[in-house]
Amino acid sequence: RKEVEQDPGPFNVPEGATVAFNCTYSNSASQSFFWYRQDCRKEPKLLMSVYSSGNEDGRFTAQLNRASQYISLLIRDSKLSDSATYLCVVTVTGFQKLVFGTGTRLLVSP
Amino acid sequence: NAGVTQTPKFQVLKTGQSMTLQCAQDMNHNSMYWYRQDPGMGLRLIYYSASEGTTDKGEVPNGYNVSRLNKREFSLRLESAAPSQTSVYFCASSDAGTAPYEQYFGPGTRLTVT
């Protein structure tokens, strides 16, 4: 079983739609959680950290459910510029080693 | 600030050739990392350096060596390239002491081994 699993998509949505991605992780000792964004043929960049209480950054909301070991990302009012691959990332206790999911591809169309 | 820079951007090697991928960061970060990214596999850690003078194996270290030349630079060497090493290689750095483990990535090196 992969340490971090994501639906690869693609998720095809129209502009203005709300879309949600989930990610599950297998290591219950995982401590920190993130969503990274990766544009086509570019490097990954941090989108947002995910906190136990849930957190919001503009149109983006991230949630963590430790009991079920999943993380979610909700994007409201999708923009064309949101088209990218979204990587779910967790860290394991002891060092800042990141474990990446394979990513979920989002395509926002006009 | 340039952030994390990598050279070269593209490279084609024949099986058995060697090469070194260069990485440098100007953010005064302690930790540096090398990843490879393959379709359907996600990013996988090859080697990392928690601080200057230390290096450790990651998930997929076979066929690679690294050198933490100083705090800024972390190189990845392929001694005898194989087609299985065709991939996109990313270098990253982080400031373990302050950031919540955010890693900053370079633009990547696209390597093809024929």
Side-chain angles (χ1 to χ4, degrees):
Chain A
R1 182 185 172 189
K2 289 182 181 176
E3 285 192 72
V4 179
E5 297 207 56
Q6 297 181 250
D7 181 342
F11 285 60
N12 290 285
V13 302
E15 268 187 298
T18 295
V19 62
F21 311 133
N22 283 337
C23 159
T24 58
Y25 60 95
S26 61
N27 191 336
S28 59
S30 298
Q31 277 212 322
S32 300
F33 309 89
F34 309 92
W35 284 100
Y36 275 67
R37 171 193 169 127
Q38 186 172 25
D39 292 301
C40 188
R41 300 181 71 79
K42 298 286 189 182
E43 70 272 23
K45 291 183 180 178
L46 179 67
L47 177 67
M48 59 195 303
S49 301
V50 186
Y51 303 117
S52 296
S53 55
N55 50 300
E56 193 172 302
D57 183 1
R59 298 181 293 108
F60 298 84
T61 300
Q63 298 276 358
L64 167 64
N65 184 317
R66 284 189 183 272
S68 302
Q69 295 182 205
Y70 79 80
I71 306 151
S72 65
L73 177 68
L74 180 79
I75 305 174
R76 290 181 299 277
D77 189 22
S78 296
K79 312 290 185 194
L80 294 176
S81 57
D82 293 334
S83 296
T85 296
Y86 291 85
L87 306 174
C88 175
V89 185
V90 306
T91 66
V92 179
T93 308
F95 183 65
Q96 60 270 46
K97 184 168 80 76
L98 303 184
V99 181
F100 287 80
T102 53
T104 297
R105 192 166 171 220
L106 172 65
L107 298 172
V108 182
S109 54
Chain B
N1 286 353
V4 180
T5 57
Q6 292 183 235
T7 56
K9 286 187 167 47
F10 301 93
Q11 184 71 49
V12 178
L13 291 178
K14 294 186 187 310
T15 298
Q17 287 184 318
S18 62
M19 78 162 295
T20 299
L21 281 64
Q22 306 288 352
C23 173
Q25 52 92 8
D26 62 3
M27 295 175 282
N28 202 37
H29 286 168
N30 289 317
S31 304
M32 297 185 74
Y33 313 81
W34 276 105
Y35 293 90
R36 60 177 290 173
Q37 186 173 35
D38 303 292
M41 300 292 290
L43 280 143
R44 292 181 292 169
L45 184 64
I46 304 171
Y47 271 93
Y48 63 93
S49 171
S51 60
E52 188 178 352
T54 69
T55 60
D56 284 287
K57 295 178 181 179
E59 185 185 351
V60 288
N62 291 346
Y64 306 94
N65 284 302
V66 290
S67 294
R68 183 74 184 266
L69 304 168
N70 47 55
K71 191 170 186 180
R72 287 187 65 247
E73 298 171 286
F74 189 37
S75 63
L76 178 72
R77 182 160 178 83
L78 287 69
E79 291 291 352
S80 179
S84 60
Q85 293 178 305
T86 293
S87 189
V88 180
Y89 291 85
F90 288 102
C91 177
S93 70
S94 72
D95 184 354
T98 57
Y101 303 158
E102 177 178 0
Q103 292 187 8
Y104 296 82
F105 286 79
T109 295
R110 283 166 175 75
L111 175 66
T112 301
V113 183
T114 61

